[in-house]
């Protein structure tokens, strides 16, 4: 089963614009904050807010969505309110004010994606392994955003950032208006209780791995642009390097639906975690070598593409029926929320307190720990954990 053509493009358009906004905020928002005079520690703290609200927002909205079944209504409301809250960015530039604005808009902006993941997977039904064919449009949006915005910033200056982000938020809301909820109903007896699911060792291992993986991405998402800028890379080149990573990610999304049944989810995750560790080490020790940085960026195919597709697949398999929304919310809050916030904060403190290089070495250490945990799962519960 796959969505009808109309549903396919409705679902894809939301991913396109949502990740286009991410393509503006993640690589370039740190530059905007730097232009306002904030230190690396302050930038790390402000960027951590974007991640920290994912600890709370997805779980609140996930609980409401699972009990009301009105996921798209929640998504539309959250998208609209995020626009209103973000408008506060034009009213002040102090650290306290920007922190308040970022808390407000990200609380609602972060609420929508986990619920939209649940909507997409409900539309797909038994063909959930084809999720990546829709999600890849998010990667396309990210690429277009980082490449075009990099050129725009070189010509117009960093001050245009708030207007660009506002426009993308409006596009997210408009795309949510044309997307419908899945028609299928979810019955209570289709799901296992959340408490019982969380008692499984492989589920707990997966959630810890997700936390570590996103924490390891803290230096990348918060400071990669500034890191390359310090080594003389232009904004256009930096944008192209970000885009290269996402192009590699798209390649995985195009193939993952074939790999999952043949290789197995946990085996794929194990490989992806090892390649992630290699990526952070290359960035740490060879930032001035463009060829090596190019190769490191292609490893985004593993550190995000492979990891995220497998994680979404496993979460969908573990959290069934009425637990779906909360399962996606838990994945989002523990990985992109807690992991992202810890990674951003740690990166900011290490960047100012030790060195830029140390942030990526620490990132490699976190992903290596995730490798060891995934190996333990494969070794002790090989057949049971290898869900396909």
């Amino acid at each position: 089963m796959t969505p009808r053509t109309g549903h396919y493009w409705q679902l894809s358009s939301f991913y396109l614009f949502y990740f286009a906004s991410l393509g503006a905020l993640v690589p370039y928002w740190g530059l905007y904050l730097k232009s306002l005079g904030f230190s690396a520690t302050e930038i790390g703290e402000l960027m951590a807010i974007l991640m920290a609200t994912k600890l709370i927002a997805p779980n609140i909205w996930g609980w409401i969505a699972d009990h009301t079944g009105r996921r798209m209504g929640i998504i539309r409301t959250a998208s609209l309110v995020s626009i209103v809250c973000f408008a506060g960015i034009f009213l002040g530039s102090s650290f306290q004010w920007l922190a308040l604005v970022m808390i407000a808009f990200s609380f609602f902006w972060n609420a929508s994606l986990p619920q939209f993941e649940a909507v997409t997977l409900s539309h797909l039904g038994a063909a959930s392994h084809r999720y990546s064919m829709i999600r890849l449009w998010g990667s396309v949006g990210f690429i277009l955003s980082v490449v075009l915005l990099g050129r725009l910033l070189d010509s117009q200056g960093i001050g245009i950032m708030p207007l660009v982000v506002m426009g993308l938020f409006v596009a997210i809301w408009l795309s949510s208006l044309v997307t419908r909820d899945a028609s299928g109903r979810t019955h209570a007896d289709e799901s296992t209780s959340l408490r019982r699911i969380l008692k499984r060792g492989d589920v707990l291992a997966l959630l810890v791995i997700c936390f570590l993986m996103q924490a390891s991405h803290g230096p990348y998402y918060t400071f990669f642009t500034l890191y390359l800028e310090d080594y003389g890379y232009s904004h256009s080149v930096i944008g192209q390097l970000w885009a290269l990573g996402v192009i590699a990610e798209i390649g995985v999304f195009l193939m993952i639906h074939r790999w999952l049944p043949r290789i197995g989810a946990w085996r794929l995750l194990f490989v992806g975690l090892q390649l992630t560790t290699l990526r952070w080490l290359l960035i740490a020790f060879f930032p001035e070598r463009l060829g090596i940085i190019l190769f490191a960026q292609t490893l985004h195919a593993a550190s995000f593409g492979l990891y995220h597709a497998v994680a979404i697949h496993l979460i969908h398999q573990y959290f069934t029926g009425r637990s779906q929304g909360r399962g996606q919310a838990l994945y989002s809050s523990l990985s992109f929320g807690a992991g992202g916030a810890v990674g951003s904060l740690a990166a900011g403190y290490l960047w100012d307190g030790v060195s830029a290089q140390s942030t990526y070495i620490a990132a490699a250490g976190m992903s290596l720990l995730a490798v060891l945990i995934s190996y333990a799962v494969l070794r002790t519960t090989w057949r049971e954990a290898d869900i396909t």
Side-chain angles (χ1 to χ4, degrees):
M1 173 183 174
T2 56
R4 295 193 303 271
T5 301
H7 285 159
Y8 175 84
W9 289 113
Q10 290 167 11
L11 296 168
S12 298
S13 68
F14 185 91
Y15 285 109
L16 178 77
F17 293 120
Y18 190 92
F19 284 92
S21 71
L22 201 65
L25 286 169
V26 171
Y28 301 119
W29 196 246
L31 283 177
Y32 176 71
L33 295 175
K34 183 182 179 182
S35 74
L36 298 178
F38 295 117
S39 67
T41 298
E42 290 171 324
I43 292 171
E45 291 169 350
L46 288 170
M47 292 298 286
I49 289 172
L50 295 178
M51 315 297 179
T53 52
K54 290 184 181 180
L55 282 167
I56 303 172
N59 291 295
I60 292 174
W61 295 112
W63 184 88
I64 296 172
D66 281 344
H67 284 77
T68 65
R70 300 184 61 187
R71 298 193 196 282
M72 284 312 306
I74 290 170
I75 292 166
R76 291 172 191 133
T77 301
S79 299
L80 179 59
V81 177
S82 67
I83 297 170
V84 176
C85 293
F86 185 79
I89 207 78
F90 300 103
L91 303 179
S93 59
S94 69
F95 180 87
Q96 292 78 9
W97 178 251
L98 287 182
L100 181 62
V101 170
M102 291 175 72
I103 288 170
F105 89 76
S106 64
F107 178 82
F108 293 96
W109 180 63
N110 285 328
S112 58
L113 184 61
Q115 298 315 308
F116 199 81
E117 301 276 33
V119 169
T120 300
L121 290 165
S122 294
H123 276 291
L124 287 168
S128 61
H129 59 287
R130 293 188 175 274
Y131 155 84
S132 60
M133 302 302 290
I134 295 173
R135 173 57 180 79
L136 67 83
W137 286 100
S139 303
V140 171
F142 192 98
I143 291 171
L144 292 174
S145 182
V146 295
V147 172
L148 297 178
L149 190 51
R151 295 178 180 177
L152 186 64
L153 295 181
D154 279 340
S155 62
Q156 301 296 321
I158 194 68
I160 202 171
M161 271 293 298
L163 287 173
V164 172
V165 175
M166 175 65 83
L168 291 170
F169 280 3
V170 171
I172 292 169
W173 174 62
L174 292 175
S175 68
S176 74
L177 296 179
V178 300
T179 305
R180 298 180 180 180
D181 267 312
S183 57
R185 295 181 179 179
T186 301
H187 302 284
D189 60 0
E190 292 176 352
S191 61
T192 304
S193 71
L194 192 64
R195 183 176 300 178
R196 183 177 299 177
I197 295 169
L198 292 176
K199 287 182 177 179
R200 292 184 54 166
D202 48 355
V203 174
L204 292 176
L206 175 64
L207 294 175
V208 171
I209 287 170
C210 291
F211 170 84
L212 290 170
M213 273 293 280
Q214 287 308 307
S216 82
H217 278 72
Y220 178 67
Y221 287 141
T222 307
F223 292 112
F224 187 62
T225 297
L226 297 176
Y227 188 60
L228 294 183
E229 191 180 50
D230 288 344
Y231 282 91
Y233 294 86
S234 70
H235 293 158
S236 294
V237 171
I238 293 170
Q240 290 165 9
L241 285 168
W242 277 95
L244 174 62
V246 185
I247 290 171
E249 165 191 313
I250 290 175
V252 170
F253 285 152
L254 289 171
M255 298 299 297
I256 193 71
H257 68 283
R258 299 181 181 178
W259 297 343
L260 278 167
R262 297 177 183 176
I263 301 174
W266 276 95
R267 292 185 185 92
L268 287 171
L269 183 60
F270 181 57
V271 172
L273 296 174
Q274 294 177 77
L275 292 174
T276 300
T277 304
L278 173 62
R279 183 189 187 194
W280 302 144
L281 290 174
L282 291 176
I283 292 175
F285 291 107
F286 304 101
E288 75 287 352
R289 302 281 294 275
L290 178 58
I292 293 177
I293 294 298
L294 285 168
F295 173 68
Q297 284 303 90
T298 65
L299 294 179
H300 193 70
S303 69
F304 182 79
L306 187 59
Y307 152 75
H308 179 66
V310 169
I312 285 286
H313 177 82
L314 286 170
I315 292 292
H316 182 62
Q317 294 292 326
Y318 288 138
F319 296 86
T320 58
R322 294 175 68 92
S323 298
Q324 265 191 27
R326 281 171 290 175
Q328 294 295 340
L330 192 61
Y331 165 62
S332 178
S333 62
L334 287 178
S335 58
F336 300 103
V342 169
S344 293
L345 282 172
Y349 296 140
L350 284 171
W351 190 281
D352 274 344
V354 186
S355 68
Q357 184 186 62
S358 68
T359 63
Y360 290 100
I361 296 174
M366 285 184 281
S367 60
L368 179 59
L369 180 56
V371 170
L372 298 177
I373 294 172
S374 67
Y375 176 72
V377 171
L378 284 172
R379 185 176 180 181
T380 59
T381 58
W382 191 277
R383 292 182 180 176
E384 292 83 1
D386 197 9
I387 295 176
T388 57

